[in-house]
């Protein structure tokens, strides 16, 4: 296989199992995804509620609600002011993720999560009580900051807590809670749209996922990796014993200490991450989130009600799209949880990519045949609309078990400890830039490309599938601090990461070569003896 690289377990085994403690800890931490998902699901619906538009965007209200007739169906939802309101959050999240990376590294993963929850909670309160556009914008900036902190810290937390054999499944719980957030928000919107000032409940309701996340983070322990990184070795070892459910965690512990020693030599993660030996990881931390958004998934997520209306679902469009696409998105994410540590990341990426590609071509052709370039379908038979919806669902499922969850998993597991937080910040920033970009220009693109919009994204899906096939080595079953080896064995990346690691990871007992390293490990050994 072109990019397959090395064998699954890389010869390294750590004892220990997936304990109930880790499982619960990871479920709680993954709740960080709820706040992101809730916002994705809520904002599209709220910005189409007439009362909300009338209060905050009267000119949009006049254009969209009072004069809905337009000559071309593909162009009638075009309103830049409103999309700017929705997508401004992503810019705030982008900037916040850079600050989050420093806090995550220096003060721990847990504190970043807590900050994220608190900022998001304030944003939700201000938005729910909003009296003017300024309050709305301040609220959205706070929501964005909360999301930036959560998305930066939660995936790293999950990847570090998990035993390496279940890392994929546990990390994907983050995406799973994003999908729960989206689905819940869409359903809430459907009902609040019918009551007076319902938009306040929708926006203010974001307090609920925020509180779940805040309370959760208050009780979460920090990861052993982060405790060691901050000099708390004793506590880290105790924590590792608890989460792995065994007494003898020496092999894993010494590897973590070693990774931390290397990490201490790095004073400036942002300049270090640009070094040649981090080139493969940096490439993936930038391309994976960009490609994730260029699948076109958010066109379906943000604008499904619009699309469903366009293909003849009338007034039930928003509920239908919430239940259908949101439900499929959620259920299909389970498939990924079950498969990712068995079949690996590459198989899911490639299979999901091909599935999306085929669906996009079918959807584009069927919309072209019925809607032409005017966007006017005339009478649309039920079987025809159902046919299109079916392929939209198969497309959503393909995304939900591949690029959706793997877009968070892979970047969080490939970086060495010293630049892991910075790497995750790059991942979040690129994801946010592209989410912003797609949300901003979708309505313009629909107006210009018409049904060809699906082909536009299909071209990217084709390119990204080829890219994964050739360049991504398999990361399944490789301990997180052993990950550097996969690059030096890969046909392409080995020219950036030659096998000349000065402190090759190994397990005790062994011969130590660095005085600094020897000293530190000796301290740990002494500590052990004292404990014994
Ligand atoms: O589940 C779909 C959602 O997942 C994301 O890609 C995040 O991973 C969002 O951008 C999208 O709305």
């Amino acid at each position: 296989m072109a990019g397959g690289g090395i064998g699954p377990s890389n010869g390294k085994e750590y004892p220990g199992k997936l304990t109930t403690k880790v499982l619960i800890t990871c479920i709680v931490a993954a709740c960080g995804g709820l706040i992101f998902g809730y916002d994705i699901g809520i904002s599209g619906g709220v910005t189409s509620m007439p009362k909300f538009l009338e209060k905050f965007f009267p000119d949009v209200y006049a254009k969209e609600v009072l004069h809905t007739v337009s000559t071309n169906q593909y162009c009638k939802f075009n309103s830049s002011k409103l999309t700017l309101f929705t997508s401004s959050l992503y810019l705030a999240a982008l900037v916040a993720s850079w600050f989050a990376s420093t806090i995550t590294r220096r003060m721990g993963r847990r504190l970043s999560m807590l900050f994220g929850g608190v900022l998001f909670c304030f944003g939700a309160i201000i938005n729910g009580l909003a009296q003017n556009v300024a309050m709305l914008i301040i609220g959205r900036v706070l929501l964005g900051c909360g999301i930036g902190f959560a998305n930066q810290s939660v995936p790293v937390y999950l990847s570090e807590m998990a035993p390496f054999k279940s890392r994929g499944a546990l990390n994907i719980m983050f995406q799973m809670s994003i999908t729960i957030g989206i689905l819940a928000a869409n359903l809430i919107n459907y009902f609040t749209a019918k009551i007076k000032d319902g938009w306040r409940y929708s926006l203010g309701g974001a307090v609920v996922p925020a509180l779940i996340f805040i309370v959760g983070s208050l009780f979460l322990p920090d990861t052993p990796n982060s405790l060691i990184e901050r000099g708390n070795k004793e506590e880290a070892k105790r924590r590792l014993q608890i989460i792995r459910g065994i007494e003898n965690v020496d092999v894993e512990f010494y590897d973590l200490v070693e990774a931390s020693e290397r990490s201490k030599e790095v004073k400036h993660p942002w300049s270090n991450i640009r070094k040649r030996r981090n080139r493969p990881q940096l490439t993936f931390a930038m391309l994976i989130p960009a490609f994730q958004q260029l699948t076109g998934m958010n066109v379906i997520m943000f604008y499904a009600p619009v699309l469903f209306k366009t293909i003849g679902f009338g007034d039930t469009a928003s509920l239908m799209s919430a239940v259908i696409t949101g439900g499929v998105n959620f259920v299909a994410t389970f498939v990924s949880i079950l498969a990712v540590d068995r079949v690996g990341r590459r198989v899911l990426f490639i299979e999901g990519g091909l599935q999306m590609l085929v669906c996009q071509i079918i959807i584009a052709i069927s919309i072209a045949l019925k809607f032409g370039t005017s966007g006017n379908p005339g009478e649309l038979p039920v079987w025809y609309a159902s046919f299109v919806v079916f392929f939209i669902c198969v497309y959503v499922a393909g995304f939900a078990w591949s690029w959706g969850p793997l877009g968070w998993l892979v970047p969080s597991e490939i970086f060495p400890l010293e630049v892991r937080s910075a790497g995750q910040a790059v991942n979040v920033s690129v994801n946010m830039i592209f989410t912003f970009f797609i949300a901003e220009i979708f309505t313009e693109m629909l107006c210009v490309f018409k049904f060809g919009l699906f082909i536009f994204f299909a071209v990217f899906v084709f390119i990204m599938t080829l890219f994964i096939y050739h360049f991504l080595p398999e990361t399944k079953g490789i301990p997180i601090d052993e990950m550097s080896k996969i690059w030096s064995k890969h046909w392409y990346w080995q020219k950036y990461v030659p096998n000349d690691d000065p402190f090759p990871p190994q397990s005790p007992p062994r011969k130590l070569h660095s005085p600094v390293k020897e000293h530190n490990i000796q301290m740990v050994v002494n500590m052990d003896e004292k404990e014994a």
Side-chain angles (χ1 to χ4, degrees), residues 189-203:
N189 267 345
Y190 180 75
F191 294 105
T192 57
K194 296 183 176 144
I195 50 180
K196 187 170 175 291
D197 281 345
W199 59 269
R200 285 200 189 278
Y201 300 104
S202 288
L203 294 181

Side-chain angles (χ1 to χ4, degrees), residues 2 6 48 86 107-108 140 175 191 221 231-232 250 264 311 314 321 338 388 464 514 521 528:
I6 58 177
S48 63
T86 309
M107 300 183 191
R140 280 204 75 72
Q175 177 72 12
F191 294 105
N232 208 342
D250 289 354
K264 286 207 188 92
I311 56 178
S321 65
L338 296 178
V388 177
M464 63 186 84
S514 142
I521 298 220
D528 285 352

Side-chain angles (χ1 to χ4, degrees), residues 36-37 40-41 90 151 174-175 178-180 182 289 292-293 295 297-299 301-302 329-330 333 396 399-400 403-408 431-432 435:
F36 184 32
I40 295 170
Y90 298 102
N151 289 11
F174 178 64
Q175 177 72 12
I178 294 179
T179 65
I180 297 174
I182 297 177
Q292 188 207 53
Q293 292 304 314
T295 55
M297 174 63 170
N298 272 330
V299 164
M301 285 293 121
F302 293 155
N329 191 21
F330 167 66
T333 308
V396 169
F399 175 91
W403 283 88
L406 300 180
W408 299 107
N431 195 305
M432 295 299 134
T435 310

